[in-house]
């Protein structure tokens, strides 16, 4: 139904319903097929654009899916659809997001989903057990964990929490702040890409500065979990896809740890974004830039959605604009779909309180996208 005008998911569902009737497909299978055509983009959009650590997001998705059979079918179709689009589109990060969404939704549909508080306590217990295996005393984590909000523990699994805790507790402290930024990297799950932790004093341009370093060294940010402790320290985690150029992964981790630490310590002015060549397809068929701002229920945080043609330095260009408007970030999801990017940020700051300043922000973002 593409090219006929209107939503091809809606139009396609009508087409496939008639197709099933014409070919004698049984009623139960017809219902499943119609559901899959209508919702074939939903799972990918929820996994890559929403905070799947939020129980409300999982509950809403589970209600939309409706059954275990629908969920399994939608998961398989989503994976096949993404992998069939292009070898460049599928990666370990997307695989893990979809798997996490599938498993959480399956538990919810089965009626075995624990309460958010019970799930939170279970994550903490698992993290403490991992810490004990590394020889940390039972109460060693308590001061650090008291500085972290609930959002941190819901967005990270037990292994990530234990990893962060070990690294932070291993460093000396002075006046409740690290003597220098703590930057550590490790292999991401699935063996492709890296996971990088940054723990340092929070400043308005921190996200832009980190993005600038990754942009300069051709590391693609696939996901970012952004947190600020009650002590005013940033605890951020980035999922990277790296261009190794023959460099061993462990050597790459060492280069990132040393280089990003140096970048954050020097506090030099933000550099200009890298200007690289765009693909022939993007050059001939550019995608119109689109920027949307939507408030949450209390209008304390805003969901910023950006879609545009992909190019080198784009994320850093967007981050510089957010820093210039003194906006803080709680979440970033970076999605590359072939030659197109769809990035989602959860942001907050005084500049979002007035319509004129929001219009100025949108204008500056469009200008940054168009270069």
């Amino acid at each position: 139904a593409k090219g006929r005008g209107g939503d091809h998911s809606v139009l396609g569902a009508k087409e496939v319903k008639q197709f099933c009737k014409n070919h004698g497909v049984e009623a139960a299978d017809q219902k499943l097929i119609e559901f899959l055509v209508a919702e074939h983009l939903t799972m990918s959009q929820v996994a890559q654009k929403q905070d799947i650590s939020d129980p409300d997001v999982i509950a809403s998705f589970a209600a939309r899916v409706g059954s275990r059979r629908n969920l399994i079918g939608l998961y398989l179709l989503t994976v096949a659809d993404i992998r069939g689009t292009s070898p460049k589109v599928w990666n370990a990060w997307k695989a893990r997001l979809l798997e996490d969404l599938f498993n959480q939704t399956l538990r919810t549909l089965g009626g075995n989903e624990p309460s958010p508080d019970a799930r939170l306590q279970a994550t903490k217990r698992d993290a403490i057990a991992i810490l004990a295996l590394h020889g940390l005393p039972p109460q060693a984590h308590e001061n650090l964990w008291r500085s972290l909000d609930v959002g941190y523990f819901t967005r990270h699994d037990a292994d990530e929490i234990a990893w962060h805790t070990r690294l932070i507790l291993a460093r000396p402290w002075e006046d409740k702040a690290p003597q220098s930024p703590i930057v550590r990297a490790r292999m991401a799950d699935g063996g492709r890409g890296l996971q990088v932790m940054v723990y340092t004093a929070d400043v308005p341009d921190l996200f832009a500065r980190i993005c600038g370093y990754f942009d300069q060294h051709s590391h693609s940010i696939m996901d970012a979990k952004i947190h600020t402790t009650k002590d005013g320290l940033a605890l951020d985690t980035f999922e990277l896809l790296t261009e190794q150029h023959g460099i061993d992964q462990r050597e790459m981790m060492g280069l990132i740890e040393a280089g990003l630490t140096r970048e954050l310590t020097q506090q030099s002015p933000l550099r200009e974004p890298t200007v690289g060549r765009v693909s022939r397809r993007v050059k001939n068929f550019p995608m119109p830039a689109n920027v949307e701002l939507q408030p949450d229920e209390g209008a304390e945080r805003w969901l910023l959605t950006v879609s545009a043609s992909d190019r080198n330095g784009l994320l850093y260009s967007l981050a510089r604009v957010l820093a210039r408007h003194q906006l803080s970030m709680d979440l970033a999801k970076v999605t590359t779909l072939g030659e197109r990017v769809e990035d989602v940020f959860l942001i907050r700051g005084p500049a979002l309180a007035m319509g004129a300043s929001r219009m100025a922000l949108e204008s500056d973002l469009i200008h940054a996208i168009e270069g």
Side-chain angles (χ1 to χ4, degrees):
K2 286 185 177 179
R4 297 185 185 179
D7 188 334
H8 73 279
S9 298
V10 176
L11 298 175
K14 294 179 180 178
E15 290 285 340
V16 81
K17 182 177 182 180
Q18 187 61 49
F19 177 91
C20 289
K21 288 182 178 179
N22 293 343
H23 291 77
V25 177
E26 294 183 1
D29 291 338
Q30 174 186 314
K31 188 175 180 181
L32 172 63
I33 294 169
E34 187 179 349
F35 165 81
L36 293 177
V37 173
E39 303 290 343
H40 74 281
L41 299 176
T42 301
M43 192 169 193
S44 176
Q45 290 173 343
V46 172
Q48 298 182 54
K49 295 184 179 182
Q50 298 187 41
D51 184 1
I52 59 175
S53 65
D54 185 342
D56 291 339
V57 171
I58 300 300
S60 176
F61 178 67
R64 188 163 180 172
V65 170
S67 71
R68 184 175 183 273
R69 187 176 190 231
N70 283 354
L71 175 65
I72 293 173
L74 186 58
Y75 173 66
L76 295 174
L77 176 60
T78 302
V79 172
D81 192 17
I82 297 175
R83 297 193 70 159
T85 300
S86 166
K88 297 180 180 179
V89 174
W90 180 256
N91 55 52
W93 173 74
K94 291 179 184 176
R96 191 171 73 251
L97 282 179
L98 290 171
E99 185 178 348
D100 288 346
L101 177 57
F102 173 83
N103 288 329
Q104 292 184 66
T105 307
L106 188 62
R107 287 195 295 270
T108 300
L109 290 171
N112 298 320
E113 183 69 358
S115 68
D117 184 63
R119 189 168 59 250
L120 178 68
Q121 295 306 318
T123 299
K124 288 183 175 181
R125 285 196 301 271
D126 291 343
I128 291 172
I130 296 172
L131 291 172
L133 293 176
H134 289 271
L136 269 72
Q139 286 78 38
H141 64 279
E142 291 183 352
N143 287 337
L144 172 62
W145 285 15
R146 274 195 291 266
S147 72
L148 299 166
D149 61 15
V150 173
Y152 169 82
F153 292 99
T154 58
R155 289 179 186 156
H156 293 277
D157 61 28
D159 179 66
E160 290 173 329
I161 294 169
W163 182 54
H164 293 166
T165 303
R166 288 191 295 107
L167 295 177
I168 293 170
L169 295 182
R171 289 291 302 273
W173 293 85
E174 183 177 324
D175 297 329
K176 294 186 178 181
Q179 296 177 349
S180 62
I182 302 175
V183 179
R184 292 292 183 269
R186 68 176 183 175
M187 295 286 293
D189 288 343
R192 184 179 178 188
L194 300 176
Q195 190 174 52
V196 179
M197 184 203 81
V198 178
Y199 189 60
T200 187
D202 193 19
V203 292
D205 66 352
L206 178 63
F207 182 75
R209 195 169 294 280
I210 295 171
C211 287
Y213 173 82
F214 291 144
D215 171 63
Q216 184 186 27
H217 294 83
S218 301
H219 303 317
S220 298
I221 299 175
M222 304 306 297
D223 192 15
K225 298 175 183 177
I226 312 297
H227 299 280
T228 302
T229 71
K230 297 172 184 177
D231 301 327
L233 298 171
L235 177 49
D236 302 340
T237 310
F238 297 86
E239 303 279 346
L240 303 182
L241 289 180
T242 62
E243 295 186 10
Q244 297 185 48
H245 302 298
I247 301 177
D248 178 75
Q249 282 278 37
R250 294 195 177 278
E251 184 180 353
M252 177 68 72
M253 289 188 282
L255 291 172
I256 290 174
E257 291 175 355
L260 184 52
T261 299
R262 186 166 53 251
E263 176 72 21
L264 298 178
T265 303
Q266 291 175 347
Q267 290 292 308
S268 55
L270 293 175
R271 61 172 59 89
E272 290 297 316
T274 301
V275 180
R277 294 177 58 187
V278 298
S279 69
R280 181 184 303 174
R281 182 177 179 85
V282 169
K283 186 180 297 183
N284 293 324
F285 303 99
M287 177 182 175
N290 184 54
V291 174
E292 293 182 7
L293 268 175
Q294 295 180 329
D296 63 8
E297 292 183 0
E300 294 181 359
R301 301 189 300 178
W302 289 68
L303 188 69
L304 169 64
T305 304
V306 177
S307 57
S309 297
D310 192 20
R311 65 169 175 83
N312 290 344
L314 178 59
L315 180 60
Y316 177 44
S317 297
L318 300 176
R320 291 180 76 216
V321 172
L322 297 178
R324 191 161 64 245
H325 286 260
Q326 297 186 316
L327 296 172
S328 300
M329 189 178 306
D330 292 339
L331 180 70
K333 287 208 169 185
V334 182
T335 305
T336 303
L337 303 169
E339 308 293 347
R340 185 175 84 254
V341 295
E342 295 183 0
D343 298 343
V344 179
F345 309 96
L346 195 60
I347 57 177
R348 52 187 166 83
L352 297 170
M354 296 179 292
S357 56
R358 291 197 299 272
M359 289 180 62
L361 171 62
E362 292 178 358
S363 177
D364 288 349
L365 288 169
I366 293 290
H367 181 73
I369 293 170
E370 295 175 346

